[in-house]
Amino acid sequence: MIKTTTLRLFFILLLSVNYNFAQTISAKVIDSVTQEPIPFATIQFADDMGVITNGEGTFTILLNTKNKVTDSLFVSSMGYKTYKTTLGEFKDSILTLSPQNIELKNVVVSNKNYSADEIVDFIKDNVDKNYTKSFSKKRLFFREHYHQYLNRTNYSNFESTIDAFNKNFVDEIISSIPRSDDYYVEVLCDLYGNYNSEKQKIDVIKASKMYDKNSEINLDQLEERMEKILKENVKPDSYLKIKSGIFGTKIDNEELFRTQVDSSDIAALNKKLEEEKKRKEEQKLHFAAGRANKISTLYEDLFFMDDSKLNFLSKSRKYDFSIRELTYLGQDIVYILDFVPSGNADYKGTLYVNADDFAIVRVDYENVKSLKSFKLLGVFMNDYLDKGKMIFYKGPNDKYNLRYIEKEHGGMGGAKRPLKIIEFNKVVKGKNRQNELSLDFDFAATNINSYEIVIYDTEEISSSTFENKNFDNKITPTYLTRYDPEFWKGYNIIEPNQAIKTYTAKEESSK
């Protein structure tokens, strides 16, 4: 009787433990010595399932009914001892990793000491063996952040023959434009294909977007006011000519005024409603296709791709490589190699190379000069920022799969030019030129695009499986005015940083 009761209590306890952990596990990974967070540590569980800590060292993983309390969980990061536990034993919200110094006397890498250039040659020789470009299904989370801020919006020498288009109105237009703007998109999806941009199919599972709609509303209101001013001051049979220096363009009357639908014309209203419905359906498809396109563009920069601009391997003669140190990644010994341009190259960075099979398991890179710049007749553009990282893991087939991509790209553009808008009318006798607005403007803006991709698992598929896959992708992103942790509850994502967690749209904060 005692034995039966004990067994029954044991199973009840086991089930209750399983219920408790079978939701989510969240923690912050820190250095045991410095107490600083460890970004981009790998949390591995359930064979090749895994997540990455964010830039602030935090992570959350979702467990399902397939996971058991006895399943192993490993937390590893470059230069640290691997933390090992089981899902059932993991309780801490703060997880510490201890630095692991390599003992060279215990390391048998080769019967000789390789130079940095020799290691690079080994990497190149083993690329095809270590990485695959075959078709696969990837469950991934994609985060995009667009940030824009205005550097300057100046103008001078303003003149206008239209009273409503006065200096106060121009000042109002300029002041209504947000000085800075943020736009976030988050997508959980299954991506089918290889790394070829033309061979990508996406199945969107859930998505969100977070930005300030208030800025859109202000611009719509200004557009309506400008249209009203034009209708009241520009003759119906006129056209506008816009000139900036030697350049000019013509805007016909049809483009100036929107065609309004008569509310009594039922056929026209139905046609407009049908067009709006079609536009929304196309918008849904466009969202999915747009995410697949952006992800495939990031794939194009993988260092083993033929046309990758990260050419430290394909054009290694343009770079100087040096060995910084040997370290551990889990139980594997890893070379850390730094590279800098030796000639006309664009990037510097660090390679983390498995000492056994010479696979690159991580790349950190950043540009050392502007990637593209243009300046002509007062118009300028400068792509000044391009940096990021890539992290790989070894799958069951001994091939290395992509785990994480981070990329940040920044550009600045603008113009300092004269601008004239002239109304012409051939019908009015004796005076073709009717109204004129002129000013000299000086405008500059900076755009920074940041991307993150974390891939939770990769499953190889055949080319026929890929070709036969078709998706409707009718899911559109849910609009959020602030970050809502409940929105992604029950899904694996990469933890948001503090900037995302504290973001609030102006329209929400003003309530």
Side-chain angles (χ1 to χ4, degrees), residues 140-144 185-187 291 295 298 451-453:
L140 63 86
F141 179 77
F142 171 75
R143 178 179 286 138
E144 176 184 0
V185 176
E186 296 183 332
V187 181
R291 296 324 105 184
I295 293 170
L298 294 172
Y451 307 96
E452 281 185 290
I453 296 176

Side-chain angles (χ1 to χ4, degrees), residues 365-425:
Y365 66 91
E366 63 179 296
N367 61 309
V368 295
K369 61 181 182 180
S370 292
L371 300 180
K372 188 188 298 180
S373 60
F374 171 87
K375 189 173 184 180
L376 182 65
L377 300 176
V379 179
F380 73 94
M381 179 272 293
N382 181 18
D383 279 351
Y384 69 91
L385 175 66
D386 190 42
K387 66 178 183 178
K389 57 174 50 66
M390 303 169 187
I391 299 174
F392 299 83
Y393 72 97
K394 198 169 188 176
N397 60 354
D398 290 334
K399 296 282 188 178
Y400 283 83
N401 297 316
L402 184 64
R403 175 69 80 199
Y404 179 75
I405 291 179
E406 179 185 271
K407 180 181 174 67
E408 188 176 5
H409 183 271
M412 181 179 176
K416 187 176 183 180
R417 297 179 57 80
L419 174 67
K420 282 188 178 182
I421 303 175
I422 308 168
E423 177 193 358
F424 287 96
N425 191 300

